[in-house]
Amino acid sequence: MSDQIILQLKGISKQFPGVKALDNVSLDVRKGEVHVLLGENGAGKSTLMKILSGVYKKDSGKIFLDGKEVEINSVNDAENLGIGIIHQEFNLLPHRDIAQNIFLGKEPTKRGPLGVKVLDKATMYSKCNELLKTVGIDLDSRILVKDLGIAQKQMVEIAKALSLANLKILIMDEPTATLTKGEIDKLFSIIRKYKSMGISIIYISHRMEEIQVIGDRVTVLRDGKYIGTVPVKETPPSELIRMMVGREITNLYKRDYNEPGPEALKVCNLSSRGKFKDVNFSVRRGEIVGFYGLVGAGRTEVAKAIFGEDKYDAGEILINGKKVKHHMPSQAVQNKMGLLPEDRRDEGLITKMLLKQNVVQASLRKVFPKGILNNKVESQIATKYITKLNIATPDENVVVASLSGGNQQKVVLAKWLLTDSEVLIFDEPTRGIDVGAKAEIYELMNDLAKSGKAIMMISSDLPEVIGLSDRIYVMYQGKIVAEFSHENASQERIVNFAIGRGDTL
Ligand SMILES: Nc1ncnc2c1ncn2[C@@H]1O[C@H](COP(=O)(O)OP(=O)(O)OP(=O)(O)O)[C@@H](O)[C@H]1O
Ligand SMILES: [Mg+2]
């Protein structure tokens, strides 16, 4: 990394209805550095990056690239200047294949028989395959995006940003949120390679341990305001957290381990061809049971089968000792189950609807037993959760799409907390959530367990799995390969099982 400044943002402000998203923010980025942007959910990180990449227009402020002031009024402008972005939310077209998505709007052409320009398919697919190889994705560029898993979609987004010619600044808005260890390592080696080529990376993440590994300098935003820029090496995480939330968080994982009650969920020999095999486990009342594994290990698939979202071929599911078979999620909800899905934008929310409507959506019968909706009740309930989960929003009457990524997730969480489910499956409950809010969510989960709920928690955040679980199951290639109690859980041994090395430590 050199000291040469390549990008300067000066006094950037942006107002949304009811929210000052950015208030006079300035920032310098050096050539070849990984510049981390840190801040709570709703602090303004994505908004600032959307301004830089031409998605939003700033109200005021200036942008300098290589010392020259530039006007960025469209995504095209940004791309022409060599600014690429990997968005927090996926921007892929599900019914097009990988190559069509990556080369959208910049498809290679050739002269056709009549001398007119036509799409050069052969070049597009061969270039795409090459690119995928660089990124380390082992996928055919003709696969439709809708058939990809969430981690694969993320890798395609990354490849798309890297396809930009003359790349100077690469913005990554929570690129690792949906990736696990193997893919993160791959991503980090790509980042190092681009750094060494003199490309600057602006990196947004809520994972503190990542920042230490990959970041050079960190800029902290709070409530749309610039707090400061510090070098990573000389700043302990506790200091970063203090800058970010304005207070100390000492004990992030808080658990009262009580004597668990009877088995609330029992799964016997559950199998689904090509997805998972002979899965056996139980979750007792009062327990949080963690599921750790790499992406593709089958954790989400098991959860979906239990919840009636996917079919399974063999095996039994018991709730409170009673055999159940869910053909659709509504049956699982009737049996007092709830599932916080991994892919929240697609499965957990109706983003065009209001915050309050989303919160009550899975509890309509409970909240309105007579079937008559009541606006006031809806608002009261939503307001309660806005406070409880500290959702950053002007009020309960905004469309969910206008909330920041992390705050959208809190809305899904509120929705499932409201249902009064006895068996809760949380698939990556704190992904994309800032540390302050994480602490709140952990406390809430502890309270839920204490009140006798049975919680199955799928998570790729190992400290979280170890810090919160009564017991931990590790999955590898569709099978449960190990079980740990919280007393004998060790980070190294769990990872070893998760990558298929078994108990070799
Ligand atoms: N299109 C929009 N319309 C209205 N308000 C918006 C819009 N986009 C963002 N906001 C608001 O601006 C503020 C900053 O949001 P932003 O998405 O930049 O936060 P963030 O720092 O990226 O948070 P997160 O960590 O949750 O992704 C939030 O209060 C958000 O609700
Ligand atoms: Mg964001």
Side-chain angles (χ1 to χ4, degrees):
M1 177 183 71
S2 69
D3 286 349
Q4 185 192 337
I5 288 169
I6 178 147
L7 173 75
Q8 285 176 293
L9 304 177
K10 283 191 178 167
I12 309 279
S13 293
K14 175 78 185 173
Q15 175 85 37
F16 287 118
V19 193
K20 183 120 202 178
L22 294 169
D23 186 1
N24 194 25
V25 171
S26 298
L27 180 72
D28 285 349
V29 176
R30 294 176 185 161
K31 191 172 157 68
E33 80 167 329
V34 176
H35 195 116
V36 177
L37 260 190
L38 200 59
E40 291 184 285
N41 298 131
K45 305 177 298 289
S46 295
T47 303
L48 188 63
M49 291 305 105
K50 284 180 181 166
I51 286 172
L52 180 57
S53 58
V55 179
Y56 290 158
K57 270 183 87 87
K58 56 183 170 8
D59 298 338
S60 57
K62 288 179 175 176
I63 302 174
F64 296 84
L65 191 66
D66 273 331
K68 276 207 307 274
E69 186 174 355
V70 291
E71 280 300 325
I72 302 175
N73 292 315
S74 67
V75 174
N76 227 339
D77 285 354
E79 288 189 349
N80 288 337
L81 291 166
I83 300 169
I85 181 164
I86 300 162
H87 283 287
Q88 186 172 14
E89 304 90 23
F90 298 140
N91 265 332
L92 302 170
L93 302 168
H95 297 283
R96 306 264 181 95
D97 65 27
I98 296 177
Q100 287 167 332
N101 267 284
I102 287 180
F103 289 95
L104 190 72
K106 43 181 192 266
E107 293 87 354
T109 53
K110 61 178 181 189
R111 291 260 171 238
L114 300 171
V116 287
K117 271 200 205 165
V118 294
L119 173 66
D120 186 354
K121 270 196 180 169
T123 307
M124 182 168 89
Y125 286 101
S126 71
K127 267 175 110 173
C128 187
N129 284 333
E130 212 173 288
L131 187 69
L132 293 178
K133 231 162 99 198
T134 323
V135 186
I137 318 180
D138 190 17
L139 286 176
D140 190 311
S141 53
R142 290 180 191 266
I143 299 176
L144 297 183
V145 163
K146 71 174 176 57
D147 297 326
L148 298 176
I150 189 163
Q152 294 170 327
K153 281 185 200 160
Q154 179 68 71
M155 291 309 265
V156 171
E157 286 280 5
I158 292 166
K160 189 175 169 189
L162 294 176
S163 73
L164 210 64
N166 83 329
L167 189 65
K168 282 191 187 131
I169 312 270
L170 179 58
I171 303 162
M172 300 184 158
D173 196 347
E174 294 197 39
T176 56
T178 60
L179 305 179
T180 48
K181 192 143 182 351
E183 290 119 334
I184 293 174
D185 290 344
K186 217 180 275 172
L187 178 70
F188 283 5
S189 62
I190 297 169
I191 290 179
R192 292 195 183 100
K193 185 170 123 195
Y194 278 81
K195 255 183 79 154
S196 69
M197 289 155 56
I199 289 163
S200 309
I201 287 135
I202 304 181
Y203 190 91
I204 300 177
S205 174
H206 287 291
R207 298 185 174 185
M208 301 300 288
E209 69 279 7
E210 267 176 16
I211 297 166
Q212 309 292 321
V213 176
I214 201 73
D216 294 307
R217 295 194 301 154
V218 184
T219 289
V220 178
L221 300 182
R222 195 197 310 156
D223 296 331
K225 291 191 183 71
Y226 174 85
I227 301 297
T229 302
V230 292
V232 170
K233 294 270 160 339
E234 290 145 45
T235 318
S238 57
E239 171 63 12
L240 291 176
I241 291 173
R242 201 195 48 72
M243 287 172 77
M244 199 161 90
V245 292
R247 63 186 156 100
E248 299 233 11
I249 294 177
T250 42
N251 189 4
L252 187 57
Y253 308 107
K254 240 187 350 218
R255 254 330 286 285
D256 306 307
Y257 290 104
N258 302 310
E259 186 57 34
E263 276 176 356
L265 171 69
K266 190 172 170 63
V267 171
C268 306
N269 294 316
L270 204 67
S271 297
S272 176
R273 209 160 301 124
K275 290 183 175 160
F276 51 83
K277 199 167 160 32
D278 290 330
V279 170
N280 286 291
F281 70 90
S282 64
V283 186
R284 294 164 66 181
R285 287 176 167 275
E287 270 192 320
I288 298 179
V289 175
F291 277 72
Y292 185 77
L294 303 182
V295 162
R299 298 168 300 161
T300 295
E301 287 74 8
V302 169
K304 283 187 167 177
I306 297 171
F307 198 61
E309 221 162 82
D310 281 354
K311 291 196 177 58
Y312 52 92
D313 306 321
E316 277 187 359
I317 296 166
L318 293 95
I319 291 185
N320 295 326
K322 214 181 82 204
K323 235 180 99 171
V324 295
K325 183 146 185 129
H326 301 136
H327 298 281
M328 53 180 112
S330 59
Q331 294 173 327
V333 173
Q334 255 166 27
N335 281 324
K336 300 227 157 201
M337 281 192 81
L339 170 78
L340 177 81
E342 172 186 36
D343 196 346
R344 286 181 264 274
R345 278 182 69 84
D346 288 348
E347 297 171 10
L349 288 170
I350 306 175
T351 51
K352 287 194 194 98
M353 285 192 358
L354 303 182
L355 191 160
K356 62 179 181 188
Q357 294 168 325
N358 273 281
V359 171
V360 300
Q361 211 221 335
S363 315
L364 288 173
R365 238 180 251 230
K366 179 186 145 196
V367 181
F368 309 112
K370 296 207 178 103
I372 305 159
L373 300 195
N374 178 329
N375 248 318
K376 211 169 132 196
V377 174
E378 214 173 53
S379 284
Q380 275 168 355
I381 293 173
T383 312
K384 190 177 108 195
Y385 281 98
I386 290 171
T387 316
K388 210 166 168 173
L389 296 177
N390 201 7
I391 301 175
T393 177
D395 56 43
E396 73 281 9
N397 293 309
V398 300
V399 289
V400 164
S402 77
L403 296 178
S404 81
N407 284 299
Q408 292 190 10
Q409 304 202 24
K410 292 188 193 174
V411 175
V412 195
L413 197 62
K415 174 173 138 181
W416 288 112
L417 292 176
L418 179 63
T419 58
D420 256 352
S421 308
E422 286 172 5
V423 177
L424 285 160
I425 305 177
F426 288 153
D427 198 349
E428 306 286 356
T430 61
R431 188 163 69 200
I433 303 248
D434 69 59
V435 270
K438 264 187 195 168
E440 287 159 36
I441 288 172
Y442 295 151
E443 205 175 315
L444 237 138
M445 287 174 69
N446 183 49
D447 291 349
L448 288 170
K450 234 159 114 179
S451 72
K453 313 269 187 209
I455 301 176
M456 169 180 178
M457 177 182 70
I458 299 170
S459 169
S460 304
D461 184 331
L462 198 48
E464 169 177 294
V465 172
I466 292 176
L468 285 188
S469 307
D470 290 75
R471 287 181 298 121
I472 298 161
Y473 291 103
V474 186
M475 284 192 77
Y476 173 69
Q477 294 193 342
K479 287 187 181 153
I480 291 182
V481 291
E483 181 185 342
F484 291 88
S485 67
H486 79 267
E487 294 96 349
N488 67 16
S490 103
Q491 189 141 342
E492 292 74 23
R493 286 183 68 208
I494 291 175
V495 169
N496 219 41
F497 274 107
I499 59 178
R501 288 216 204 116
D503 208 359
T504 51
L505 282 181

